[in-house]
Each structure stands twice: as C-alpha cells, then as structure tokens.
Amino acid sequence: MSTQKTILRALAGETLPTPPIWMMRQAGRYLPEYKATRAQAGDFLSLCYNPELAAEVTLQPIRRYGFDAAILFADILLLPQALGADLWFVTGEGPRLSTITTADELKALKPVSAIHDTLSPIYETVKILSRELPSETTLIGFAGAPWTVATYMIAGKGTPDQGPAHALKETDKAVFEGLLDIITEGTIDYLSMQIEAGAEVVKLFDSWAGSLKGDDFLNYSIKPMARIVAALKAKYPTTPIIAFPRGAGEKYVGLHAAIGADCIALDDGVTADWAADNVQTGGCVQGNLKSSHMVTGGDALVSETRRIVDALQNGPHIFNLGHGITPDADPENVQLMIDTVRKGQ
Ligand code: CP3
C-alpha cells in the first residue's frame, strides 16, 4: 500500500471496501456558509483571487461533511483571463468573455509565460490548503481541458451546442488549432504550478467533450488532454491525474490508455454496471450519481447510491456525482449520500 489517503489508494488502482468520496462543486451556492463568504469577497472572481477566502470556501465542505478530497476553489476560465481575455460573470446567466475568432485576436493573447502574473493567488490558495487540510484529505487541483476552455473563448459565453467553436473549427482551422495549442501549453504550466504548490492530484474538466463527433473527439478532446498528461507525467510521475470527458458515452471505452490518465470520471449518461464492465477494466473510475438526487433526496437517492457502489465495488472507484451539485440542492441530501456510501464502514 503506497499511502494512507484513500483517494490516492484508489487512484493507485486499489479496490477499497468503501469508496472514498468527494463531490464536484462541493464548495458552492447550496451551502449557506459559501454564500456568506462569497458576499464577504464581493463577487465570484474576487473570491477566486483571494487566497484566504478561497481556501476558506474549499475547507467548508470538508468541515461539514468530512469528504475524502478537497478541490481547490477556482474556475476553468481563470486561464483565459490570465492569457489576456476579459472575463466577467453576469448574475443568473454565467460567464462572459471577450472572444477569440481571428488570427489577430489570437496573436494579441499574452505569452504563456505571463499567466503566472494573474494566477499566482491561486498557487497561494493551494499552499494554504496544503498546510490546513486534515492529514487524511487529498488536495485536488484542476484546469479545464483545451476543447472546453476554447468553446468559452470562441463564443464568449456558455453555449448549448458549442456552435461557435464547431464553426471556427470548420472555417478557420489554423486559428482554432492555434488556440487549442496555446490553451494546452498554458494548462501544462498552470497545473505544474499547482502541483509545485501542493496539489496532490489534478483533474482535467472536458465538460463539452460530448459534442465532438468522430475524429474530432480524438483530435480535439483526447489528444490535447493526452499531451497535457504526458508533459505532467514527465515532470511529476507520481501525481495522479483524473480526466473527465463529459458526455463521451460509448467512447469512454479505452480512455485510460488513450489519455494516460489514472482515473476516468463518468457523467450520469452511462450506467455504473456498463462502466464496471467496459471502463473500470482500464483503471480507477469516478462517479456517477445524477446531481438531481441532491435536490430530490429520499429513497431514490439511497437506492441509486447503493446501486453505483455495488456495481463498481470490484475495482478502484471514487464515489462522486456525474456533474456538479446545483445551487438548489439540499445540504441534508449530501449527508444522506455520504452516510449511504459509508454505511457498514
Ligand atoms: O468543484 C469545485 O467545487 C471547485 C471549483 C470549481 C468551480 N468551477 C467553481 C464555480 C470548478 C472545478 C469549476 C469548473 C468549471 N467552471 C467548469 C467545468 C465543470 C463543469 O461544471 O462542467 C466549467 C464549465 C466552468 C465555467 C463556469 N464557472 C460556469 C459555466 C459558471 C456559471 C454556472 C454556474 O454554476 O453559475 C461558473 C461559475 C462557478 N464556478 C461557480 C462556482 C462555485 C458559481 C459562481 C457563484 O458563486 O456565483
């Protein structure tokens, strides 16, 4: 056994009697203490760039629930901002960015070496957390995968079908691929600094991987992630990496090897039984309870949680949701999920 921390044991391929647990967006608006600290910071971005307060909101769900991992409080859109894009959040609507769709706009981005000027408070948050987290809790750093980050940089906002990014891919492949390259290089440097500061695991969020079809999925979701993983593994061979190509469906098969990741995170679009036979055979999997159970609770939450734990019990598994918890979730349902997973421990 390489280590005592349960998340690191699962990531090393160990099958544990009880899967370790954490939850995407575990620090968030469903928690009153998060809302209070966010109000103290003023707004979401000020919270991200305030190391003391960002560390505080990262720790809140650990104190309340004793999750096995803490995920750094930040956002995947801080990297575009560090590369020179304007970024702001519209209440009730989500992120807005200045757009990159031409060669001139691409050229106007800052060099990757300049990102740390903007991102250094994030590394400070990681340092605070690695001092303050309980010894059994694993610290996870993260970044967006290049395709997902590019979809926001090209459209200037979230889009239901990622139409503007798909359009640029067809109309100006050079600009599209140039942008993916810059994001890929920036992500390698950003995650390297998170690891240097104390992140024990890093995760790549490819939230919009599911809209890439055929060769595009391989070329624009998987290959850029594989490049990031290879570069990080060359420098930090012992740091495990989780990849989350959300919406991959049947294409989840073989992704541990294709990406080089230690763990593949599953959304709720695949069943845990199917994943046990087709994905967990390649290594650790994470997931995949539907987040809406955190709103609705009750017997359905308990039975679905048990079904996932049972289905994935014969291999390495980290329990999580299939996507982030939503602001309308009931904090008591989170406790019910944790109690259900840990029952009989
Ligand atoms: O998981 C965690 O608790 C760690 C922190 C984290 C946030 N965003 C905080 C956040 C992480 C890992 C992310 C990732 C992220 N950000 C993704 C990938 C994962 C996913 O959800 O698919 C994406 C696509 C983003 C971009 C982003 N940030 C959007 C689209 C939004 C608006 C939607 C919303 O929920 O309001 C955000 C804002 C955001 N990021 C919030 C939080 C807690 C809510 C901001 C607030 O407090 O008002």
Side-chain angles (χ1 to χ4, degrees), residues 243-319:
F244 181 37
R246 189 167 75 93
E250 287 175 4
K251 299 194 292 294
Y252 266 120
V253 178
L255 291 190
H256 287 91
I259 300 172
D262 303 271
C263 176
I264 296 295
L266 305 164
D267 60 77
D268 58 39
V270 296
T271 68
D273 280 319
W274 179 85
D277 292 340
N278 295 287
V279 190
Q280 199 181 29
T281 42
C284 185
V285 292
Q286 178 180 282
N288 69 341
L289 184 68
K290 216 175 182 35
S291 343
S292 57
H293 287 295
M294 298 299 107
V295 181
T296 52
D299 292 346
L301 183 163
V302 172
S303 60
E304 274 302 285
T305 299
R306 285 209 186 111
R307 204 180 50 75
I308 291 167
V309 171
D310 289 349
L312 295 167
Q313 68 183 341
N314 296 319
H317 176 214
I318 297 169
F319 194 88

Side-chain angles (χ1 to χ4, degrees), residues 158-342:
T159 45
D161 58 358
Q162 297 74 60
H166 285 286
L168 187 67
K169 166 164 68 65
E170 304 309 325
T171 57
D172 199 337
K173 211 179 248 326
V175 169
F176 174 75
E177 291 187 348
L179 180 60
L180 277 191
D181 258 1
I182 290 171
I183 300 167
T184 302
E185 291 304 320
T187 303
I188 292 167
D189 282 16
Y190 182 36
L191 290 177
S192 295
M193 291 298 277
Q194 292 185 27
I195 293 168
E196 301 271 346
E200 298 171 279
V201 173
V202 293
K203 177 168 175 183
L204 286 168
F205 285 88
D206 211 352
S207 305
W208 300 121
S211 76
L212 289 166
K213 305 295 174 206
D215 287 349
D216 283 352
F217 177 73
L218 181 66
N219 289 331
Y220 302 129
S221 173
I222 301 310
K223 283 191 179 164
M225 285 201 277
R227 202 168 123 198
I228 294 165
V229 170
L232 293 175
K233 290 283 181 189
K235 289 199 270 185
Y236 313 103
T238 61
T239 302
I241 301 175
I242 304 171
F244 181 37
R246 189 167 75 93
E250 287 175 4
K251 299 194 292 294
Y252 266 120
V253 178
L255 291 190
H256 287 91
I259 300 172
D262 303 271
C263 176
I264 296 295
L266 305 164
D267 60 77
D268 58 39
V270 296
T271 68
D273 280 319
W274 179 85
D277 292 340
N278 295 287
V279 190
Q280 199 181 29
T281 42
C284 185
V285 292
Q286 178 180 282
N288 69 341
L289 184 68
K290 216 175 182 35
S291 343
S292 57
H293 287 295
M294 298 299 107
V295 181
T296 52
D299 292 346
L301 183 163
V302 172
S303 60
E304 274 302 285
T305 299
R306 285 209 186 111
R307 204 180 50 75
I308 291 167
V309 171
D310 289 349
L312 295 167
Q313 68 183 341
N314 296 319
H317 176 214
I318 297 169
F319 194 88
N320 205 308
L321 304 178
H323 199 199
I325 188 167
T326 50
D328 54 344
D330 181 344
E332 286 189 14
N333 289 334
V334 176
Q335 191 62 57
L336 180 60
M337 170 190 78
I338 294 171
D339 291 344
T340 306
V341 173
R342 290 183 176 162

Side-chain angles (χ1 to χ4, degrees), residues 22-29 34 38 43-44 47-48 61 71-77 89 92-95 142-144 148 152 158 205-208 244 246 323-325 327:
W22 69 281
M23 200 173 64
M24 284 185 268
R25 292 275 172 98
Q26 62 190 23
R29 287 163 293 182
Y34 168 83
R38 184 181 181 277
D43 58 49
F44 172 65
L47 179 55
C48 291
I71 182 156
L72 164 70
F73 188 83
D75 198 84
I76 66 163
L77 300 177
F89 281 80
E93 289 185 31
F142 73 93
T148 288
Y152 287 94
F205 285 88
D206 211 352
S207 305
W208 300 121
F244 181 37
R246 189 167 75 93
H323 199 199
I325 188 167

Side-chain angles (χ1 to χ4, degrees), residues 114-130:
I115 62 172
H116 308 303
D117 298 347
T118 301
L119 297 171
S120 56
I122 311 308
Y123 314 141
E124 189 53 37
T125 308
V126 174
K127 283 184 195 156
I128 296 172
L129 287 168
S130 48

